[in-house]
Amino acid sequence: MSGRIRSYIGNRPIPGSGLKIRNVVNRPVLLSAAGALIFAVDQGVKNRIEAEPAGSLPRDMEGSAGRYARLDRYHNRGFALGRMKEDPEAVKLVSAAGCLSVASALCASFIKKGSIITQTGLSLTLWGALSNLADRISRGYVVDYLIIKKKPFSRIVINIGDAAIFAGTLITMFSMFARKERTDSGDG
């Protein structure tokens, strides 16, 4: 086999073929699949919330989740907490630039074989941001629908994309801080 094929084909035999393959599910594929799932679920919930008849929202979530969260429909034309809502075109451009920046950082992390923790954080941030960017482009606003009933969060309406951005940013910051600590202490 040529060297190029050998770089893609590893040490595991394919039963009955005599060929050997590397593990098919690698980090980029796994994180992309997980991110695409977050994107799809968020878009599905947004579509369902948009289809709710007038007057049916807000309402408590069903079951025990109703003690903690309410569903509502809010059209956010700006960033978090409605910032810059008076300039939706600038919001779209900044959102697209942010997605491109995070995607670039994620690709660089894959190329440099970076930390799985950093890659997970960047992937969550990217796919959450892509879900919101898709809304901005297709609807002209982001559909937010989830209100946490506990203070200090009770005045904030979010969606799954927002939660992914928040969690991904925290994970990425933690990973970078931990890496800096290891470097400063001489361990890394």
Side-chain angles (χ1 to χ4, degrees):
M1 270 184 230
S2 74
R4 171 176 258 167
I5 294 174
R6 215 173 278 129
S7 69
Y8 293 102
I9 299 176
N11 298 324
R12 292 191 188 163
I14 298 175
S17 71
L19 295 176
K20 297 180 180 181
I21 62 167
R22 249 189 329 182
N23 188 0
V24 174
V25 180
N26 56 26
R27 281 188 203 178
V29 172
L30 183 64
L31 291 173
S32 295
L37 180 63
I38 290 168
F39 179 96
V41 169
D42 191 34
Q43 288 296 308
V45 173
K46 288 173 179 178
N47 289 337
R48 185 140 183 221
I49 290 292
E50 287 289 88
E52 285 285 325
S56 66
L57 295 170
R59 69 172 182 263
D60 288 343
M61 291 184 69
E62 295 178 13
S64 61
R67 293 186 308 201
Y68 304 104
R70 291 177 64 82
L71 291 176
D72 202 350
R73 177 178 28 233
Y74 180 75
H75 297 159
N76 186 354
R77 297 186 188 282
F79 290 116
L81 304 175
R83 288 184 173 81
M84 288 183 61
K85 65 183 172 191
E86 59 282 343
D87 195 355
E89 288 306 310
V91 171
K92 281 183 200 174
L93 286 174
V94 172
S95 296
C99 286
L100 185 58
S101 176
V102 175
S104 297
L106 182 59
C107 287
S109 181
F110 288 140
I111 291 167
K112 294 179 181 178
K113 298 190 189 309
S115 157
I116 183 72
I117 296 171
T118 301
Q119 292 168 352
T120 300
L122 288 169
S123 186
L124 283 169
T125 303
L126 176 62
W127 286 96
L130 285 172
S131 179
N132 286 344
L133 180 60
D135 268 13
R136 291 184 204 292
I137 291 169
S138 66
R139 294 184 169 109
Y141 53 84
V142 174
V143 178
D144 290 327
Y145 49 82
L146 187 65
I147 301 171
I148 308 300
K149 292 165 80 172
K150 302 297 179 190
K151 290 187 179 186
F153 307 107
S154 59
R155 296 190 57 185
I156 300 171
V157 185
I158 64 170
N159 58 47
I160 293 170
D162 295 335
I165 293 167
F166 181 74
T169 301
L170 286 179
I171 291 167
T172 303
M173 288 173 35
F174 167 78
S175 174
M176 295 174 136
F177 178 74
R179 184 175 55 232
K180 182 175 178 356
E181 287 292 313
R182 285 192 311 271
T183 304
D184 289 348
S185 67
D187 294 340

